[in-house]
Amino acid sequence: MTANDGLTVAILGPGGIGGLLAALLSRSGHRVICLAGDETAKTLSAKGIHVRSGLFGDFTAPVEADTELREPVDACLIAVKATALEASLTRVPPAVLGDGLVVPFLNGVEHPELLRARYRPDRVAPATIRAESTRVAPGEIEHGTPFAEIDLTGDPVPDDRLAALAQVLDAAGPTTRVHADEAATLWSKMSLLAPFALLTTRYALPIGDVRTRHREELLALVDEATAVSAACGGPSDPARAIARYDAFPPTTKSSMQRDAEAGRPLELDAIGGALLRAADHQAVPVPVATRLVGELRAAGH
């Protein structure tokens, strides 16, 4: 893979994030193959992906689509929900993928281990993205934030492979940076996401109400999450986390809260469960997180 050549990129899960990245990469001149169910694949093949974005404009980009990867690619971006990860990986046979990078854009911190057990460990390059992007229908993407920022990492992945992919992503639109420390990169997002997701979902309230009506609980949960992050090699700055929550527009909802409202499966285990398992492994007490995860599970989530 070289940043100057057109790449062939597979997108597993062309939803809000995957669909946005597929369209941007296609518009930038790369060959994109979306992997999805039969009906979605037919729609994307026929109509492409239409994006509405204040940042990137309104445009339609052509993509190829199939139900399974049938040829090697330079990279496979994985943008399914954590709840669908294992089942969806049947669409990407390891023998077909070959030397391609596996780039998961998933919430949580445990998925890299699962992917490295299935694919070449030195080709799994986890990424995090800061953007709110929603699939309103197959091939119809609404990107609502005035930013899209990607952090790309992967401790065993060759530096030149990471740098080349980062250059391609950055040129396509999202501001992309490579980070040397995988644990710090993943926990930087996890320690911010977990309190936001757990509290907005537990109380069915947007962040503006959570940070006022449940502020004491928010402060306590941020302290717990950042303590676990520090024990796992990530950042620990509770004041910075609170400042970021306070800067969110008051109507902001977490993706977990949106899933709960729509009756979809929640990424509770990938976020809350993973936080509790890491806390247990590191012997960090997390009473507030434990209670919230237990209440959400008791509610049938």
Side-chain angles (χ1 to χ4, degrees):
M1 178 184 357
T2 63
N4 296 324
D5 298 330
L7 302 189
T8 298
V9 180
I11 308 284
L12 179 61
I17 294 298
L20 176 66
L21 294 175
L24 290 170
L25 285 166
S26 172
R27 184 172 72 166
S28 189
H30 303 286
R31 182 182 172 214
V32 175
I33 306 169
C34 292
L35 304 174
D38 190 54
E39 289 304 312
T40 296
K42 287 178 180 176
T43 299
L44 298 184
S45 292
K47 298 182 178 180
I49 297 177
H50 181 69
V51 171
R52 289 185 291 276
S53 168
L55 180 63
F56 300 122
D58 292 7
F59 67 97
T60 300
V63 296
E64 299 173 40
D66 206 335
T67 57
E68 183 179 313
L69 187 66
R70 304 181 194 279
E71 62 183 275
V73 292
D74 294 295
C76 178
L77 312 188
I78 299 178
V80 297
K81 292 277 189 179
T83 50
L85 177 60
E86 291 198 54
S88 70
L89 290 180
T90 59
R91 301 191 192 281
V92 187
V96 176
L97 179 63
D99 189 50
L101 291 183
V102 177
V103 187
F105 287 82
L106 273 78
N107 290 324
V109 293
E110 295 174 336
H111 55 275
E113 182 179 359
L114 182 152
L115 292 168
R116 288 190 172 117
R118 180 177 173 86
Y119 304 102
R120 282 186 56 172
D122 62 342
R123 293 297 183 265
V124 176
T128 65
I129 185 167
R130 287 177 294 280
E132 182 178 337
S133 187
T134 304
R135 187 191 90 149
V136 295
E140 295 286 336
I141 307 297
E142 291 185 355
H143 169 232
T145 47
F147 55 82
E149 300 166 349
I150 293 172
D151 291 331
L152 185 63
T153 185
D155 290 344
V157 181
D159 290 345
D160 62 330
R161 296 289 298 267
L162 289 176
L165 180 60
Q167 188 174 341
V168 164
L169 291 168
D170 193 82
T175 302
T176 304
R177 301 179 183 87
V178 174
H179 295 267
D181 190 325
E182 182 175 313
T185 302
L186 293 176
W187 275 101
S188 178
K189 179 171 183 179
M190 177 71 158
S191 59
L192 186 75
L193 174 64
F196 175 44
L198 293 176
L199 286 170
T200 55
T201 307
R202 169 64 183 84
Y203 294 113
L205 293 171
I207 190 63
D209 290 322
V210 165
R211 69 192 178 207
T212 52
R213 292 161 59 179
H214 300 278
R215 191 169 190 84
E216 187 173 331
E217 206 169 357
L218 175 61
L219 293 171
L221 190 55
V222 167
D223 282 343
E224 292 180 4
T226 51
V228 176
S229 173
C232 293
S236 177
D237 190 348
R240 181 172 179 268
I242 292 296
R244 289 188 66 178
Y245 296 133
D246 285 342
F248 283 3
T251 57
T252 304
K253 298 179 179 182
S254 67
S255 60
M256 187 190 290
Q257 180 186 0
R258 293 184 186 279
D259 286 340
E261 291 172 348
R264 294 188 290 261
L266 303 192
E267 294 183 304
L268 181 59
D269 190 65
I271 298 172
L275 180 66
L276 299 189
R277 287 186 288 274
D280 182 63
H281 184 71
Q282 300 291 343
V284 176
V286 286
V288 177
T290 300
R291 175 177 56 78
L292 286 167
V293 172
E295 289 172 352
L296 287 164
R297 285 176 173 159
H301 299 308

